[in-house]
Amino acid sequence: SKDGKKNRNTVLLSLRNGYTIKTLYCSMNDCDRSYLSAGKAVKLGVLWIKPYAGMPKEVLVLYSSKARYRVPREILFWLTVCCTLALVAVTIAVIALSPKCLSWWQASPVYQIYPRSFKDSDGDGVGDLKGIKEKLDHFEYLNIKSIWISPFYRSPMKDFGYDVEDFRDIDPLFGTMKDFEELLATMHSKGLRLIMDFIPNHTSDRHRWFNLSRTRDPHYEDYYVWTDCKPDGPKPNNWVSIFGNSSWTYDEVRGQCYLHQFLKEQPDLNFRNPDVINEMIDIIHFWLDKGVDGFRMDAVKHMLEAPHMRDEPQVDPNKPPELVTTEWDLHSDYTTSQVGLHDILREFRAQMDIYSQEPGRYRFMVIESYDYEEVYKTMMYYGTKLEKEGDFPFNFYLLDLPQNTSGAWAKHLVHLWMGNMPKGKWPNWVVGNHDRTRISSSAGQLYVRAINMLLLTLPGTATTYYGEEIGMENINVTASQIQDPADPQRSPLQWNANMNAGFNDKTNLTWLPLHPDYETVNVEAQMKDDGSVLAQYRFLNTLRQSELPLNRGWFCYVHTDANVFSYIRELDGLKRAFLIVVNFGKESVVTDLSSVRELPDELKVLMSTNKVNDGKVFPKSRIQTEVGEGLVIQYSTNTRFNPNHPEECYISEKACYLETIGILYKCQ
C-alpha cells in the first residue's frame, strides 16, 4: 500500500508445465523477487518458503540464484579446478625430477646356470631344461630375478655347446623347443627373466652354412674366413688359437685353409660379409620373438680380424717362431678388437631396442670380453654418449682376488673398474664362471662369505655362478672321467644329502662326479641353518634390494690396509647409511676409523659373516675383524661422507631422498 503498511496479497502462480507451486504470500518489501514462469521473468512479492522434497527444477533454479547458494558453489568449483591443476603440476614435477627406476637387470644379481649340472629331470645324468623348470623356486627363495643359461643350442658338443650346429634348435640332450617355451613361460609367470648365450664369432663345422661354404655355394662362399694354403705347406700366418697351436686348418673339400680362433671344429664367421651380419640379426629376432629377455654376447672381441692377415708381433721377439704355440706368445693386434667391431655390436643393440619398446620388456645385452690389463678396451663396450652398446661388459677382475688375499689387493681390483668406468655407467662384478676355478677353491673356504658380501654390497650388478650361493668347491676329476679341462668347476649342483645330491633322483648317473662334501654342503641343509653361506647370501641380496643406499647410493672408499678393505654406501638426504668392513688378510685386526668424522662414535653390526658378532657394538676406533670376516654396519647420521671426499666416491646416477614424503628426486 502507499502508506507502507504491510498488506498481504495472495498470489497463485501456475507454471507452464501444469504444476501449481503453492499459494504464496508476499509483502510490499518482498515484491521485487524474480521467478521464471513459462520462460518469462515475472515480478512477484514472495514470502520465502523453505525448499521441500519433490519441488520442480524451476524452484531449484530460483534458490540456486541466491548468493548464499551460488557463492559456495563457485568457491567449490574453482577450488576443485585449482586442486586438479596443482595435482597435475605436482605429478609432472615428480616425473621430471624423479631419477630413472632401476631396470630388472640392475635390481637383481644375474645367476648363471650351467645346464648340464643344474638339475637332471629324466635320469640320463645330464641336467636339462625341464630340470631348470623344476627348480625355479630356488630363485624365488634367493630373491633372484635374472637367470643366464649357458648354451643349449643343437651342437656336436666339441666345446660343450659353444660349437653351434643350429642356432634355431635345442639340443636333444637338454630337451625340445616345447620344453624351452614352457620353461620361459613359467619363468615369466614367476617374474623371472631369461638371458641366453649368443655366440656370434663362430659356428660348428657341422653347421649348414659351413658345409655350403666349403662347397663354394655362391651365397655362402664368403660366410667364413678362407685363404689359400697347401695341405702340407706353411700356415698363412702365425696366428694362434685360444686352445693353442695354429688358428688355420686345411679343408680338403674347398682346398683352402679356414680360420678358427677356438677349436678347429669352430670355424670363424666372416663379419666383413654383410650377409653374415644379417643372418645373426635374424637369429636375434628369432629368440626375441620367442620372448627371451636378453643375451650374453660371447667372445665378441674375436669377431673381426685384420684383412691384411700379417703375422702378429711376438711378445718375446727372440723366441723361435716354431715355439710360438699359445695366445700368450703373441700380441693379438690383428685378431681381436678390430675397427668396425663396435659398429656391429651397436647394430645388435639397435635391434634389441626395437623389442624393448614394449612396456616392461626391456631387452638386456651383456658383453663378454676379457681384455686383461687393457681395461680401456673393455670399457668401450659401454658405448658412447651418442650410441648405445652393451648395458655393461662383464667385469672379470675380481676373479684375480685369490692371487693376493689382502685388503689393498681387493681395493686395487675394485678400483681398476670403478676408476676407468665411464661416468654414469653401471658396474658389474664376477667372481666365478664355467671356465674358471671356483672361488671357494682358489681363495679358500675361509673367504667365501666375505667374497659374497663384497659381491652383494658393491654398487652395480653381481653375477653368481651356480653353487657359489652355498660355497661349492671344485671336484677332483680322474683322467678317465675328465671331458674338458674346466670340468672341476662344473660338477652337479648339490641340492640335498640324498642320492646324487638330489641332482638326479631317478638313476645313479651323473655326467661328472659329485663333490664328496655334498651331504653337508647342499641347499636343503643350508636352508635350515641361519648362519650358513646360503642364508647369508639370501640376507645380503634381500638387504641390497630393499635399501636405497645399497642399490643406488654412493660408493666411497673409507679405509684400506694390508688386511681390511672398507667402504661406505650412502644416499643424500637419507639418514641411514652402511659401512662395510671386510678382512681379506691373513690375521685378525683392529681397524681404527676415528679419523672419519662422518661416522658416529659407536657402530652396531647389522650382519657379520661370523654370526656370533651379529648385533655387536664397536667404537669406531676399534672395529675388530677375524680373517675372512665381513661386517655390514648400519648407522644413522645427518653428515654425508661423499661431499667432503669427492675423489673417493662414485655413483652411477645421482639421486637424493626427500625423507619428509619418502621419495627420490634428481639432484646436483
Side-chain angles (χ1 to χ4, degrees):
S1 66
K2 291 181 179 179
D3 60 4
K5 292 182 179 179
K6 294 183 179 179
N7 295 328
R8 306 183 70 184
N9 302 306
T10 302
V11 180
L12 182 64
L13 178 62
S14 296
L15 302 179
R16 184 175 60 181
N17 61 7
Y19 287 99
T20 298
I21 296 181
K22 204 172 184 70
T23 299
L24 302 177
Y25 298 93
C26 72
S27 66
M28 291 299 292
N29 294 335
D30 296 320
C31 285
D32 59 350
R33 306 291 183 181
S34 295
Y35 290 86
L36 280 175
S37 176
K40 297 179 181 179
V42 180
K43 295 286 187 181
L44 291 174
V46 180
L47 182 62
W48 290 102
I49 62 170
K50 293 181 179 180
Y52 59 91
M55 68 174 63
K57 63 183 179 181
E58 289 81 359
V59 179
L60 288 173
V61 170
L62 165 68
Y63 280 96
S64 67
S65 66
K66 289 182 66 63
R68 60 179 169 177
Y69 295 110
R70 187 184 70 253
V71 173
R73 186 173 68 249
E74 290 180 355
I75 291 172
L76 287 173
F77 171 77
W78 289 112
L79 187 61
T80 302
V81 170
C82 290
C83 289
T84 302
L85 291 174
L87 185 60
V88 170
V90 169
T91 302
I92 293 172
V94 168
I95 292 172
L97 293 175
S98 293
K100 250 186 343 183
C101 293
L102 295 183
S103 188
W104 58 267
W105 53 272
Q106 297 171 304
S108 164
V110 172
Y111 185 104
Q112 183 190 356
I113 290 178
Y114 194 69
R116 281 176 168 265
S117 301
F118 193 70
K119 180 67 172 73
D120 174 19
S121 70
D122 57 11
D124 65 355
V126 178
D128 46 48
L129 297 178
K130 284 186 176 180
I132 296 172
K133 181 182 172 186
E134 287 178 10
K135 290 295 186 178
L136 292 180
D137 288 349
H138 183 58
F139 305 112
E140 294 182 290
Y141 175 78
L142 290 176
N143 200 21
I144 285 175
K145 304 296 183 185
S146 307
I147 301 168
W148 155 35
I149 306 179
S150 292
F152 46 82
Y153 303 104
R154 181 180 289 275
S155 167
M157 297 295 169
K158 294 292 184 180
D159 190 21
F160 286 85
Y162 284 95
D163 50 324
V164 180
E165 182 178 346
D166 189 341
F167 285 103
R168 292 179 173 85
D169 199 8
I170 309 295
D171 195 274
L173 191 67
F174 302 121
T176 64
M177 185 61 75
K178 183 181 178 183
D179 294 335
F180 169 79
E181 290 166 350
E182 289 178 354
L183 169 63
L184 183 59
T186 305
M187 287 178 65
H188 285 170
S189 71
K190 293 176 176 288
L192 305 175
R193 309 285 183 150
L194 190 151
I195 303 163
M196 283 184 65
D197 247 309
F198 187 67
I199 308 162
N201 180 68
H202 50 264
T203 69
S204 165
D205 60 354
R206 295 189 188 178
H207 197 289
R208 183 177 66 92
W209 300 342
F210 187 72
N211 287 322
L212 290 168
S213 185
R214 68 203 300 233
T215 57
R216 297 183 184 268
D217 180 281
H219 182 71
Y220 295 95
E221 185 172 3
D222 295 325
Y223 263 47
Y224 296 83
V225 181
W226 296 95
T227 192
D228 291 333
C229 69
K230 295 181 179 179
D232 301 321
K235 300 300 182 183
N237 55 36
N238 71 342
W239 295 359
V240 174
S241 161
I242 299 300
F243 295 116
N245 299 315
S246 177
S247 292
W248 297 98
T249 292
Y250 180 78
D251 180 68
E252 293 183 355
V253 175
R254 177 149 170 158
Q256 285 185 307
C257 282
Y258 63 89
L259 177 71
H260 54 89
Q261 293 201 57
F262 292 85
L263 296 175
K264 65 181 178 62
E265 292 87 0
Q266 294 170 288
D268 274 36
L269 286 163
N270 176 19
F271 275 92
R272 299 193 183 279
N273 180 349
D275 289 336
V276 171
I277 297 175
N278 291 332
E279 288 275 15
M280 301 313 284
I281 288 174
D282 286 346
I283 292 166
I284 289 173
H285 288 176
F286 175 83
W287 291 104
L288 292 179
D289 287 336
K290 290 280 184 185
V292 302
D293 300 288
F295 292 106
R296 175 243 189 202
M297 299 287 177
D298 176 68
V300 296
K301 71 178 184 179
H302 300 282
M303 286 170 60
L304 281 177
E305 302 79 29
H308 56 66
M309 295 191 180
R310 292 197 292 265
D311 280 357
E312 290 192 309
Q314 293 183 194
V315 173
D316 178 2
N318 299 317
K319 191 170 189 176
E322 63 273 14
L323 298 182
V324 174
T325 57
T326 74
E327 61 173 324
W328 310 113
D329 293 326
L330 297 171
H331 295 289
S332 302
D333 294 345
Y334 306 142
T335 54
T336 63
S337 305
Q338 298 298 295
V339 174
L341 168 64
H342 292 280
D343 294 330
I344 298 170
L345 294 174
R346 287 167 192 160
E347 178 58 30
F348 290 171
R349 173 74 265 175
Q351 297 300 319
M352 296 177 70
D353 282 345
I354 295 171
Y355 287 79
S356 297
Q357 294 174 10
E358 183 182 348
R361 291 301 308 279
Y362 181 81
R363 307 306 171 96
F364 168 67
M365 178 171 157
V366 58
I367 292 172
E368 188 246 358
S369 178
Y370 197 3
D371 297 294
Y372 302 95
E373 69 278 1
E374 296 178 308
V375 64
Y376 67 91
K377 288 185 177 179
T378 305
M379 295 301 163
M380 293 176 69
Y381 295 108
Y382 275 114
T384 68
K385 291 181 179 178
L386 299 177
E387 291 188 280
K388 191 176 178 182
E389 201 164 323
D391 290 296
F392 55 72
F394 272 140
N395 171 9
F396 297 114
Y397 290 98
L398 288 185
L399 289 167
D400 294 332
L401 267 173
Q403 292 181 14
N404 179 4
T405 48
S406 72
W409 180 244
K411 180 185 176 180
H412 165 73
L413 295 177
V414 169
H415 190 67
L416 196 59
W417 195 269
M418 300 303 291
N420 288 283
M421 186 177 66
K423 185 177 180 181
K425 295 302 182 181
W426 189 259
N428 160 260
W429 312 95
V430 177
V431 296
N433 63 27
H434 58 287
D435 287 327
R436 298 294 291 262
T437 298
R438 286 191 177 275
I439 198 74
S440 52
S441 294
S442 56
Q445 276 288 348
L446 195 60
Y447 298 97
V448 168
R449 298 164 188 261
I451 290 171
N452 277 342
M453 178 176 286
L454 180 73
L455 195 70
L456 293 168
T457 56
L458 286 171
T461 298
T463 304
T464 293
Y465 181 52
Y466 84 97
E468 286 175 2
E469 72 274 28
I470 60 172
M472 280 180 59
E473 296 184 274
N474 280 15
I475 59 170
N476 293 318
V477 186
T478 65
S480 62
Q481 294 170 323
I482 197 164
Q483 304 174 54
D484 186 274
D487 280 353
Q489 57 263 27
R490 299 175 181 177
S491 61
L493 183 55
Q494 296 158 202
W495 292 102
N496 54 45
N498 299 334
M499 180 179 72
N500 300 323
F503 166 73
N504 173 10
D505 52 14
K506 293 181 171 59
T507 65
N508 197 23
L509 295 174
T510 57
W511 78 283
L512 281 175
L514 293 162
H515 196 286
D517 68 2
Y518 78 88
E519 292 186 353
T520 54
V521 179
N522 64 70
V523 172
E524 187 177 280
Q526 293 194 13
M527 287 176 71
K528 299 173 183 177
D529 178 4
D530 60 1
S532 65
V533 176
L534 180 70
Q536 291 185 355
Y537 183 100
R538 183 188 187 213
F539 174 85
L540 287 166
N541 185 34
T542 302
L543 183 71
R544 177 190 179 276
Q545 294 183 46
S546 62
E547 290 289 350
L548 287 171
L550 290 173
N551 63 47
R552 68 182 309 154
W554 286 93
F555 164 75
C556 301
Y557 301 120
V558 171
H559 175 83
T560 306
D561 58 33
N563 295 288
V564 167
F565 176 39
S566 181
Y567 49 93
I568 280 175
R569 302 300 312 279
E570 64 182 15
L571 187 72
D572 293 325
L574 185 65
K575 292 181 181 179
R576 189 169 61 257
F578 295 88
L579 170 68
I580 316 299
V581 182
V582 187
N583 186 343
F584 285 112
K586 293 180 168 47
E587 59 184 356
S588 301
V589 292
V590 173
T591 303
D592 181 3
L593 298 182
S594 57
S595 63
V596 185
R597 61 182 181 83
E598 293 86 357
L599 291 174
D601 291 335
E602 289 194 339
L603 298 164
K604 185 176 181 180
V605 175
L606 176 66
M607 179 238 171
S608 169
T609 55
N610 183 3
K611 189 168 174 54
V612 296
N613 289 330
D614 287 359
K616 195 169 184 178
V617 176
F618 291 106
K620 69 177 178 179
S621 61
R622 293 189 58 80
I623 303 173
Q624 185 169 356
T625 51
E626 303 298 322
V627 177
E629 183 179 12
L631 306 176
V632 175
I633 296 170
Q634 181 178 308
Y635 63 96
S636 181
T637 180
N638 290 316
T639 307
R640 300 271 70 80
F641 183 87
N642 70 82
N644 303 319
H645 308 272
E647 70 285 352
E648 298 294 326
C649 297
Y650 301 86
I651 195 166
S652 289
E653 183 182 4
K654 188 175 179 182
C656 295
Y657 188 72
L658 190 58
E659 209 157 12
T660 52
I661 55 177
I663 63 168
L664 282 171
Y665 65 95
K666 291 178 184 176
C667 53
Q668 298 301 319

